[in-house]
Amino acid sequence: MAEAVANVARRINATVEEGKDSLDLSKCKLINFPDGVFKVLRTVTENIHMVTLADNEMKVISSKFFGTFTHLQELDLHCNVLTKLPDAVADAEHLRIINLADNKFSVFPEKLLDIPTLETINLEGNSITEIPVERLFAMPALKWINLKSNPLDKDTLTAVQTPHQCEILFTADA
């Protein structure tokens, strides 16, 4: 555990000291986003445009995260155990790309629909059966959504197979 904490500290310090625009805390055995990180990064959060928290054991991401990283454009949360996102995700007004693949979502995270800048959504490998198709396709910037390896119901499968302005990846035999 001490090694994991030291690894997180090294990565955070490098982000601060080098003035990086990204923070990579992937493969750090995190179960949540450490509160101490908010304090260390408070002077540089406006510069951080990409956060990677992939390949951890995160069960939840807090509202505080989205309130802190206000200029976030890319968020990678794949390979965690998330089941939902906080309502505050809708406040991520600059977010363009979100990767939620290989988590534990059983319900489409509808607050994503409130982010007008969102271009790419990856939800591959979850347990989602339905998506709000009409609202999804009304998203102004959406270009690509991956729904592969989700047990989409028959109505949803029919709806996503009709032509749309964005590319939709899905598994037809879900």
Side-chain angles (χ1 to χ4, degrees), residues 129-166:
T129 56
E130 296 178 51
I131 59 169
V133 178
E134 287 185 25
R135 288 192 61 208
L136 187 71
F137 298 137
M139 293 177 70
L142 189 65
K143 295 178 182 167
W144 187 87
I145 182 166
N146 186 349
L147 297 167
K148 284 183 177 179
S149 301
N150 278 284
L152 299 175
D153 68 23
K154 185 179 168 190
D155 291 339
T156 301
L157 278 173
T158 300
V160 298
Q161 291 179 53
T162 59
H164 297 92
Q165 79 280 5
C166 66

Short mmCIF file of all heavy atoms in Angstrom, two decimals, residues 129-166:
data_model
loop_
_atom_site.label_atom_id
_atom_site.label_comp_id
_atom_site.label_asym_id
_atom_site.label_seq_id
_atom_site.Cartn_x
_atom_site.Cartn_y
_atom_site.Cartn_z
N THR A 129 -28.82 -1.83 -20.65
CA THR A 129 -29.82 -2.45 -21.52
C THR A 129 -30.57 -1.42 -22.36
O THR A 129 -31.03 -1.73 -23.45
CB THR A 129 -30.85 -3.26 -20.70
OG1 THR A 129 -31.45 -2.41 -19.73
CG2 THR A 129 -30.19 -4.44 -20.03
N GLU A 130 -30.70 -0.20 -21.83
CA GLU A 130 -31.44 0.85 -22.54
C GLU A 130 -30.62 2.14 -22.56
O GLU A 130 -29.89 2.43 -21.62
CB GLU A 130 -32.75 1.17 -21.82
CG GLU A 130 -33.74 0.04 -21.77
CD GLU A 130 -34.99 0.46 -20.98
OE1 GLU A 130 -35.56 1.52 -21.29
OE2 GLU A 130 -35.36 -0.29 -20.07
N ILE A 131 -30.80 2.90 -23.64
CA ILE A 131 -30.21 4.24 -23.68
C ILE A 131 -31.30 5.21 -24.14
O ILE A 131 -32.20 4.83 -24.89
CB ILE A 131 -28.99 4.33 -24.62
CG1 ILE A 131 -29.34 3.95 -26.05
CG2 ILE A 131 -27.83 3.50 -24.10
CD1 ILE A 131 -28.26 4.27 -27.05
N PRO A 132 -31.24 6.45 -23.67
CA PRO A 132 -32.22 7.45 -24.11
C PRO A 132 -31.86 7.94 -25.51
O PRO A 132 -31.26 8.99 -25.69
CB PRO A 132 -32.08 8.54 -23.05
CG PRO A 132 -30.68 8.41 -22.55
CD PRO A 132 -30.32 6.96 -22.66
N VAL A 133 -32.23 7.16 -26.49
CA VAL A 133 -31.78 7.36 -27.87
C VAL A 133 -32.08 8.76 -28.39
O VAL A 133 -31.18 9.42 -28.93
CB VAL A 133 -32.41 6.28 -28.79
CG1 VAL A 133 -32.00 6.50 -30.24
CG2 VAL A 133 -32.01 4.90 -28.33
N GLU A 134 -33.30 9.23 -28.25
CA GLU A 134 -33.64 10.54 -28.80
C GLU A 134 -32.82 11.66 -28.18
O GLU A 134 -32.33 12.55 -28.88
CB GLU A 134 -35.14 10.82 -28.65
CG GLU A 134 -35.97 9.99 -29.61
CD GLU A 134 -37.45 10.33 -29.54
OE1 GLU A 134 -37.79 11.46 -29.14
OE2 GLU A 134 -38.26 9.46 -29.91
N ARG A 135 -32.65 11.62 -26.86
CA ARG A 135 -31.85 12.65 -26.19
C ARG A 135 -30.39 12.53 -26.57
O ARG A 135 -29.69 13.53 -26.75
CB ARG A 135 -32.01 12.55 -24.67
CG ARG A 135 -33.37 13.02 -24.20
CD ARG A 135 -33.45 13.20 -22.71
NE ARG A 135 -32.50 14.20 -22.23
CZ ARG A 135 -31.96 14.18 -21.01
NH1 ARG A 135 -32.27 13.23 -20.16
NH2 ARG A 135 -31.11 15.11 -20.64
N LEU A 136 -29.91 11.31 -26.72
CA LEU A 136 -28.52 11.08 -27.09
C LEU A 136 -28.24 11.68 -28.46
O LEU A 136 -27.25 12.39 -28.65
CB LEU A 136 -28.24 9.57 -27.10
CG LEU A 136 -26.80 9.16 -27.31
CD1 LEU A 136 -25.95 9.49 -26.09
CD2 LEU A 136 -26.73 7.67 -27.60
N PHE A 137 -29.12 11.43 -29.39
CA PHE A 137 -28.90 11.92 -30.75
C PHE A 137 -29.19 13.41 -30.90
O PHE A 137 -28.90 14.00 -31.94
CB PHE A 137 -29.69 11.10 -31.76
CG PHE A 137 -29.25 9.65 -31.74
CD1 PHE A 137 -30.19 8.64 -31.79
CD2 PHE A 137 -27.92 9.31 -31.66
CE1 PHE A 137 -29.79 7.31 -31.77
CE2 PHE A 137 -27.51 7.99 -31.64
CZ PHE A 137 -28.46 6.98 -31.70
N ALA A 138 -29.72 14.02 -29.87
CA ALA A 138 -29.94 15.47 -29.87
C ALA A 138 -28.71 16.22 -29.34
O ALA A 138 -28.67 17.44 -29.39
CB ALA A 138 -31.17 15.83 -29.05
N MET A 139 -27.72 15.48 -28.86
CA MET A 139 -26.51 16.12 -28.34
C MET A 139 -25.78 16.81 -29.50
O MET A 139 -25.45 16.17 -30.49
CB MET A 139 -25.60 15.10 -27.65
CG MET A 139 -26.19 14.53 -26.38
SD MET A 139 -25.14 13.27 -25.62
CE MET A 139 -23.78 14.29 -25.03
N PRO A 140 -25.51 18.11 -29.37
CA PRO A 140 -25.00 18.87 -30.51
C PRO A 140 -23.60 18.48 -30.99
O PRO A 140 -23.33 18.56 -32.19
CB PRO A 140 -25.00 20.32 -30.00
CG PRO A 140 -25.01 20.22 -28.52
CD PRO A 140 -25.72 18.94 -28.18
N ALA A 141 -22.72 18.04 -30.12
CA ALA A 141 -21.34 17.78 -30.52
C ALA A 141 -21.03 16.29 -30.68
O ALA A 141 -19.96 15.93 -31.18
CB ALA A 141 -20.37 18.40 -29.52
N LEU A 142 -21.94 15.42 -30.28
CA LEU A 142 -21.66 13.98 -30.26
C LEU A 142 -21.31 13.45 -31.65
O LEU A 142 -22.05 13.63 -32.60
CB LEU A 142 -22.85 13.20 -29.69
CG LEU A 142 -22.59 11.72 -29.42
CD1 LEU A 142 -21.54 11.55 -28.33
CD2 LEU A 142 -23.88 11.02 -29.03
N LYS A 143 -20.13 12.78 -31.72
CA LYS A 143 -19.66 12.21 -32.98
C LYS A 143 -19.53 10.70 -32.92
O LYS A 143 -19.59 10.04 -33.94
CB LYS A 143 -18.29 12.79 -33.33
CG LYS A 143 -18.29 14.26 -33.61
CD LYS A 143 -16.89 14.77 -33.90
CE LYS A 143 -16.92 16.28 -34.12
NZ LYS A 143 -15.59 16.85 -34.11
N TRP A 144 -19.32 10.15 -31.70
CA TRP A 144 -18.99 8.73 -31.59
C TRP A 144 -19.42 8.20 -30.22
O TRP A 144 -19.15 8.84 -29.21
CB TRP A 144 -17.48 8.59 -31.75
CG TRP A 144 -16.91 7.23 -31.84
CD1 TRP A 144 -16.78 6.47 -32.95
CD2 TRP A 144 -16.37 6.45 -30.76
NE1 TRP A 144 -16.18 5.27 -32.62
CE2 TRP A 144 -15.92 5.24 -31.28
CE3 TRP A 144 -16.23 6.67 -29.39
CZ2 TRP A 144 -15.33 4.24 -30.50
CZ3 TRP A 144 -15.65 5.69 -28.60
CH2 TRP A 144 -15.21 4.49 -29.18
N ILE A 145 -20.09 7.07 -30.22
CA ILE A 145 -20.44 6.40 -28.96
C ILE A 145 -20.23 4.90 -29.14
O ILE A 145 -20.63 4.32 -30.16
CB ILE A 145 -21.88 6.72 -28.49
CG1 ILE A 145 -22.15 6.02 -27.15
CG2 ILE A 145 -22.91 6.39 -29.53
CD1 ILE A 145 -23.38 6.51 -26.42
N ASN A 146 -19.58 4.29 -28.16
CA ASN A 146 -19.33 2.87 -28.20
C ASN A 146 -20.19 2.19 -27.14
O ASN A 146 -20.03 2.44 -25.95
CB ASN A 146 -17.84 2.59 -27.93
CG ASN A 146 -17.49 1.12 -28.08
OD1 ASN A 146 -18.36 0.25 -28.18
ND2 ASN A 146 -16.20 0.83 -28.10
N LEU A 147 -21.09 1.34 -27.60
CA LEU A 147 -21.98 0.59 -26.72
C LEU A 147 -21.76 -0.91 -26.85
O LEU A 147 -22.58 -1.71 -26.42
CB LEU A 147 -23.44 0.93 -27.05
CG LEU A 147 -23.84 2.38 -26.84
CD1 LEU A 147 -25.18 2.67 -27.49
CD2 LEU A 147 -23.88 2.71 -25.36
N LYS A 148 -20.64 -1.31 -27.46
CA LYS A 148 -20.35 -2.73 -27.65
C LYS A 148 -20.34 -3.46 -26.31
O LYS A 148 -20.01 -2.88 -25.28
CB LYS A 148 -18.99 -2.93 -28.32
CG LYS A 148 -18.96 -2.63 -29.78
CD LYS A 148 -17.58 -2.95 -30.33
CE LYS A 148 -17.52 -2.74 -31.82
NZ LYS A 148 -16.16 -3.03 -32.33
N SER A 149 -20.69 -4.73 -26.38
CA SER A 149 -20.66 -5.62 -25.20
C SER A 149 -21.54 -5.12 -24.06
O SER A 149 -21.17 -5.21 -22.89
CB SER A 149 -19.22 -5.83 -24.73
OG SER A 149 -18.45 -6.41 -25.76
N ASN A 150 -22.68 -4.56 -24.41
CA ASN A 150 -23.73 -4.21 -23.46
C ASN A 150 -24.97 -5.01 -23.89
O ASN A 150 -25.22 -5.15 -25.08
CB ASN A 150 -24.06 -2.71 -23.51
CG ASN A 150 -23.10 -1.88 -22.71
OD1 ASN A 150 -23.15 -1.84 -21.49
ND2 ASN A 150 -22.18 -1.21 -23.41
N PRO A 151 -25.74 -5.50 -22.95
CA PRO A 151 -26.93 -6.29 -23.31
C PRO A 151 -28.12 -5.39 -23.68
O PRO A 151 -29.15 -5.39 -23.02
CB PRO A 151 -27.21 -7.08 -22.03
CG PRO A 151 -26.72 -6.19 -20.93
CD PRO A 151 -25.52 -5.48 -21.49
N LEU A 152 -27.96 -4.62 -24.74
CA LEU A 152 -29.00 -3.67 -25.16
C LEU A 152 -30.30 -4.41 -25.50
O LEU A 152 -30.27 -5.44 -26.16
CB LEU A 152 -28.54 -2.87 -26.37
CG LEU A 152 -27.29 -2.01 -26.16
CD1 LEU A 152 -26.87 -1.37 -27.49
CD2 LEU A 152 -27.51 -0.95 -25.10
N ASP A 153 -31.42 -3.84 -25.05
CA ASP A 153 -32.71 -4.48 -25.35
C ASP A 153 -33.07 -4.28 -26.83
O ASP A 153 -32.44 -3.50 -27.54
CB ASP A 153 -33.81 -4.00 -24.40
CG ASP A 153 -34.18 -2.53 -24.58
OD1 ASP A 153 -33.95 -1.96 -25.66
OD2 ASP A 153 -34.71 -1.95 -23.62
N LYS A 154 -34.07 -5.01 -27.25
CA LYS A 154 -34.47 -5.04 -28.67
C LYS A 154 -34.82 -3.64 -29.20
O LYS A 154 -34.41 -3.27 -30.29
CB LYS A 154 -35.65 -5.99 -28.82
CG LYS A 154 -36.10 -6.22 -30.23
CD LYS A 154 -37.26 -7.19 -30.30
CE LYS A 154 -37.90 -7.19 -31.67
NZ LYS A 154 -39.15 -7.92 -31.69
N ASP A 155 -35.59 -2.86 -28.43
CA ASP A 155 -35.99 -1.53 -28.89
C ASP A 155 -34.78 -0.61 -29.06
O ASP A 155 -34.70 0.16 -30.01
CB ASP A 155 -36.98 -0.90 -27.91
CG ASP A 155 -38.33 -1.60 -27.92
OD1 ASP A 155 -38.64 -2.29 -28.92
OD2 ASP A 155 -39.07 -1.47 -26.92
N THR A 156 -33.85 -0.70 -28.12
CA THR A 156 -32.64 0.13 -28.20
C THR A 156 -31.80 -0.29 -29.41
O THR A 156 -31.32 0.57 -30.15
CB THR A 156 -31.82 0.03 -26.90
OG1 THR A 156 -32.63 0.46 -25.81
CG2 THR A 156 -30.57 0.88 -26.97
N LEU A 157 -31.66 -1.58 -29.62
CA LEU A 157 -30.90 -2.07 -30.78
C LEU A 157 -31.50 -1.57 -32.09
O LEU A 157 -30.79 -1.13 -32.99
CB LEU A 157 -30.85 -3.59 -30.80
CG LEU A 157 -29.79 -4.23 -29.92
CD1 LEU A 157 -29.96 -5.75 -29.88
CD2 LEU A 157 -28.40 -3.87 -30.40
N THR A 158 -32.82 -1.61 -32.18
CA THR A 158 -33.50 -1.12 -33.38
C THR A 158 -33.23 0.37 -33.57
O THR A 158 -32.91 0.82 -34.67
CB THR A 158 -35.02 -1.37 -33.28
OG1 THR A 158 -35.23 -2.77 -33.13
CG2 THR A 158 -35.75 -0.87 -34.51
N ALA A 159 -33.33 1.13 -32.50
CA ALA A 159 -33.14 2.58 -32.57
C ALA A 159 -31.72 2.97 -32.97
O ALA A 159 -31.53 3.90 -33.75
CB ALA A 159 -33.51 3.22 -31.23
N VAL A 160 -30.72 2.26 -32.45
CA VAL A 160 -29.34 2.64 -32.78
C VAL A 160 -28.93 2.20 -34.18
O VAL A 160 -27.92 2.67 -34.70
CB VAL A 160 -28.31 2.12 -31.73
CG1 VAL A 160 -28.57 2.71 -30.37
CG2 VAL A 160 -28.24 0.61 -31.68
N GLN A 161 -29.71 1.34 -34.80
CA GLN A 161 -29.38 0.89 -36.15
C GLN A 161 -29.89 1.83 -37.23
O GLN A 161 -29.52 1.70 -38.40
CB GLN A 161 -29.92 -0.52 -36.38
CG GLN A 161 -29.16 -1.55 -35.56
CD GLN A 161 -29.70 -2.96 -35.75
OE1 GLN A 161 -29.81 -3.42 -36.88
NE2 GLN A 161 -30.02 -3.61 -34.66
N THR A 162 -30.72 2.80 -36.86
CA THR A 162 -31.19 3.77 -37.83
C THR A 162 -30.11 4.84 -38.04
O THR A 162 -29.32 5.10 -37.13
CB THR A 162 -32.51 4.42 -37.38
OG1 THR A 162 -32.30 5.07 -36.14
CG2 THR A 162 -33.61 3.40 -37.25
N PRO A 163 -30.04 5.47 -39.21
CA PRO A 163 -28.98 6.46 -39.48
C PRO A 163 -29.03 7.66 -38.52
O PRO A 163 -30.10 8.16 -38.20
CB PRO A 163 -29.27 6.90 -40.91
CG PRO A 163 -30.11 5.82 -41.50
CD PRO A 163 -30.89 5.23 -40.36
N HIS A 164 -27.85 8.09 -38.09
CA HIS A 164 -27.72 9.25 -37.20
C HIS A 164 -26.50 10.05 -37.59
O HIS A 164 -25.68 9.60 -38.38
CB HIS A 164 -27.60 8.78 -35.74
CG HIS A 164 -28.80 8.06 -35.25
ND1 HIS A 164 -28.92 6.69 -35.34
CD2 HIS A 164 -29.94 8.50 -34.70
CE1 HIS A 164 -30.09 6.33 -34.85
NE2 HIS A 164 -30.73 7.40 -34.46
N GLN A 165 -26.36 11.22 -36.99
CA GLN A 165 -25.24 12.10 -37.32
C GLN A 165 -23.94 11.65 -36.66
O GLN A 165 -22.88 12.15 -36.97
CB GLN A 165 -25.56 13.55 -36.91
CG GLN A 165 -25.41 13.87 -35.43
CD GLN A 165 -26.58 13.43 -34.56
OE1 GLN A 165 -27.51 12.80 -35.02
NE2 GLN A 165 -26.53 13.77 -33.29
N CYS A 166 -24.00 10.68 -35.75
CA CYS A 166 -22.79 10.21 -35.09
C CYS A 166 -22.59 8.72 -35.35
O CYS A 166 -23.53 8.02 -35.71
CB CYS A 166 -22.85 10.48 -33.59
SG CYS A 166 -24.13 9.56 -32.73
#
